[in-house]
Amino acid sequence: MEETHNFEVAVVTPNGEVFNYPNATLTVIHTTDGELGIMANHNPLISALATSEMRIQDKANDYEERLAVNGGFAEFSSNKLTVVADAAEKAGEIDVNRAERARDRAERRLREAHNQREQQLAQAALVRAVTRIHAATGE
Amino acid sequence: MAASLQEIQHRIDSTKSTRQITSAMQMVSTAKLSKIQRSGTGYRLYAQHLQDVVSHLAQAHLSNVKGTLLESREVKKVGFLIITSDRGLVGGYNSMLIKRVMSAFEERHLTKDDVVILAIGGNGADFFKKRGFNVAYEYRGVSDVPDFMEVRDIVKTVTAMYDNEVYDELELAYQHFASRISNEVQLEQILPIDTTNLETESGSLSAEYDMNPSADKVLETVLPQYAQSLVFGAILDAKTAEHSASVNAMSSASDNAKEVIDDLELHYNRARQAAITTEITEITGGMAALE
């Protein structure tokens, strides 16, 4: 039997499926533990994700897509990778100006935070904003 | 007689304009209803994925639930998250729900000191405040088609309060959209998460998974996300029910207005005929006097 070299990738958020690509050859996700590359026929896996960027590649068709993913988790089984997060955006759809404003706002809030909870919230917002800027601009 | 004719005409006109307003509101609500029903399908896909993973994890790791949202602790206070509407004009939508919640208090012998109210929607917040309940959280102005970003803060606050032991059990009370003509009051426990009644029909997750970084860590991420999705789902469902209740209330208001108008028109015609008859009698009477 010929082994398949591609697999399906889907990203699901509360607003529905925001991304689907049937022929990925490599997907790189950032787990809470570090970077993880997934290729076809990977062992079944459930992994917690960091607020980070994920990269989907299809070498055969010279395709690459980046998404900013807001936490959540990834599940891989029967050659399908499903990322379930409360928010995800394709790099091309990210409004960089808005993300930069969000980053500046988060930085200000972080400086002015009065307690630990405020600090944590600001920190999380900052990570989200930076991730989105990074995914959108590749910097 | 003429004054009465005018009076009736005036009432007909005002009822007609009321009917115009109610039927316009009915159409607006119908449009909102179909919009929210469309966005609901996207959410269900998300919820299904979460549920699959949670039930899978729960089956595999039921022994080790300490410190997670699965762990049940001694219940000192019960939180009630009550989703009502901000506006009126939705028929019995709010009153049915509140009545059901009050009877649930009675059934469980809960007094004002045992419950913490979390109110989404002005109607419920006002009601419980007026009666001296402890309303720990209040949110007004959920939009007509809520998206997750909007309610995320609500949801996070609600789960954070549970972590801080403001309450030890969280019940969710809302109107569930059963069909376009009827809603049902739902009362369900969401925290601690009860995995016994999770539907495990989806056979997609039978494989033995590698957990990364570890099963406990995954559980720590997935469970809050699951609880949040439950609350979001309830808000979505309640909003759907609200729009549908509004459609029904407005359609029966329009029907009633039509009945009133028909009735008034009958009166108007009678009065008009009476006026004509009187006029003719007067004219013939006047002619008879001349002859």
Side-chain angles (χ1 to χ4, degrees), chain B residues 14-27 29 88-92 244-262:
Chain B
S14 89
T15 317
K16 270 188 180 157
S17 61
T18 307
R19 186 181 63 173
Q20 240 167 17
I21 294 171
T22 53
S23 65
M25 287 171 79
Q26 181 190 345
M27 278 191 277
S29 297
L89 300 173
V90 283
S244 124
S246 170
V247 170
N248 291 329
M250 287 304 111
S251 109
S252 56
S254 306
D255 290 351
N256 286 341
K258 190 171 180 319
E259 259 172 51
V260 171
I261 290 169
D262 286 350

Side-chain angles (χ1 to χ4, degrees), chain A residues 4-11 17 19-27 39-41 56-61 63 65 76 78-81 90:
Chain A
T4 49
H5 295 289
N6 16 2
F7 60 103
E8 187 180 348
V9 181
V11 178
E17 195 174 73
F19 175 80
N20 188 305
Y21 190 76
N23 297 314
T25 50
L26 171 71
T27 298
M39 296 175 86
N41 308 313
I56 299 109
Q57 276 181 4
D58 175 8
K59 289 234 168 70
N61 295 311
Y63 168 91
E65 176 72 88
F76 187 91
S78 3
N79 229 11
K80 177 172 179 179
L81 178 71
K90 273 193 246 185

Side-chain angles (χ1 to χ4, degrees), chain B residues 130-201:
Chain B
K130 209 179 271 172
R131 275 157 192 76
F133 279 90
N134 174 13
V135 179
Y137 180 75
E138 182 185 339
Y139 185 90
R140 287 165 202 252
V142 176
S143 64
D144 290 327
V145 182
D147 74 356
F148 190 75
M149 283 302 123
E150 180 191 341
V151 297
R152 192 166 67 176
D153 288 337
I154 307 177
V155 169
K156 289 226 161 121
T157 318
V158 168
T159 38
M161 279 174 146
Y162 177 77
D163 289 336
N164 299 333
E165 306 200 9
V166 177
Y167 38 79
D168 310 287
E169 184 188 320
L170 182 63
E171 295 274 347
L172 195 59
Y174 63 100
Q175 287 268 15
H176 164 66
F177 172 77
S179 75
R180 281 200 172 226
I181 48 165
S182 70
N183 295 326
E184 280 164 19
V185 177
Q186 288 275 333
L187 241 124
E188 54 193 45
Q189 178 192 330
I190 52 167
L191 291 174
I193 294 170
D194 185 8
T195 48
T196 47
N197 53 14
L198 277 184
E199 292 155 42
T200 45
E201 26 98 28

Side-chain angles (χ1 to χ4, degrees), chain A residues 105-117:
Chain A
R105 206 164 50 234
E107 278 171 349
R108 199 171 56 242
R109 270 171 51 204
L110 194 58
R111 278 198 303 275
E112 292 166 0
H114 295 298
N115 54 41
Q116 206 183 352
R117 181 167 159 73

Side-chain angles (χ1 to χ4, degrees), chain B residues 25-214:
Chain B
M25 287 171 79
Q26 181 190 345
M27 278 191 277
V28 170
S29 297
T30 313
K32 283 178 186 166
L33 179 62
S34 28
K35 202 171 156 204
I36 200 170
Q37 279 184 311
R38 273 201 302 279
S39 82
T41 36
Y43 162 74
R44 271 191 291 280
L45 182 69
Y46 172 77
Q48 190 59 50
H49 273 293
L50 265 174
Q51 199 182 353
D52 285 352
V53 170
V54 169
S55 66
H56 177 86
L57 286 172
Q59 278 163 9
H61 301 277
L62 267 183
S63 51
N64 189 12
V65 296
K66 269 219 146 336
T68 69
L69 293 177
L70 290 171
E71 181 192 20
S72 52
R73 52 190 189 225
E74 193 201 340
V75 178
K76 289 183 220 111
K77 295 238 182 203
V78 184
F80 275 84
L81 179 67
I82 298 165
I83 307 173
T84 55
S85 72
D86 286 319
R87 295 179 303 123
L89 300 173
V90 283
Y93 178 80
N94 293 311
S95 54
M96 292 282 280
L97 178 68
I98 288 172
K99 215 183 274 171
R100 179 73 185 80
V101 171
M102 293 304 273
S103 69
F105 289 168
E106 234 159 74
E107 275 164 33
R108 295 181 53 176
H109 305 292
L110 295 169
T111 63
K112 280 178 191 175
D113 301 326
D114 301 329
V115 295
V116 179
I117 304 284
L118 304 121
I120 297 177
N123 265 300
D126 294 340
F127 178 90
F128 288 103
K129 263 197 208 153
K130 209 179 271 172
R131 275 157 192 76
F133 279 90
N134 174 13
V135 179
Y137 180 75
E138 182 185 339
Y139 185 90
R140 287 165 202 252
V142 176
S143 64
D144 290 327
V145 182
D147 74 356
F148 190 75
M149 283 302 123
E150 180 191 341
V151 297
R152 192 166 67 176
D153 288 337
I154 307 177
V155 169
K156 289 226 161 121
T157 318
V158 168
T159 38
M161 279 174 146
Y162 177 77
D163 289 336
N164 299 333
E165 306 200 9
V166 177
Y167 38 79
D168 310 287
E169 184 188 320
L170 182 63
E171 295 274 347
L172 195 59
Y174 63 100
Q175 287 268 15
H176 164 66
F177 172 77
S179 75
R180 281 200 172 226
I181 48 165
S182 70
N183 295 326
E184 280 164 19
V185 177
Q186 288 275 333
L187 241 124
E188 54 193 45
Q189 178 192 330
I190 52 167
L191 291 174
I193 294 170
D194 185 8
T195 48
T196 47
N197 53 14
L198 277 184
E199 292 155 42
T200 45
E201 26 98 28
S202 46
S204 59
L205 294 191
S206 50
E208 272 302 309
Y209 284 96
D210 290 344
M211 298 290 176
N212 186 331
S214 68

Side-chain angles (χ1 to χ4, degrees), chain A residues 12-17 31-33 36 43-48 70 72-73 75-77 82 84-87 128, chain B residues 42-43 45-46 49-50 53 56 147-149 152 160 204-205 207-213 218 221-222 225 228 232:
Chain A
V12 183
T13 73
N15 298 328
E17 195 174 73
T31 71
T32 46
D33 229 15
L36 181 70
N43 266 359
L45 166 89
I46 295 178
S47 175
N70 193 3
F73 63 91
E75 184 247 310
F76 187 91
S77 62
T82 311
V84 182
D86 60 13
R128 279 201 299 275
Chain B
Y43 162 74
L45 182 69
Y46 172 77
H49 273 293
L50 265 174
V53 170
H56 177 86
D147 74 356
F148 190 75
M149 283 302 123
R152 192 166 67 176
S204 59
L205 294 191
E208 272 302 309
Y209 284 96
D210 290 344
M211 298 290 176
N212 186 331
V218 170
T221 335
V222 175
Q225 204 182 343
Q228 289 169 10
F232 175 63

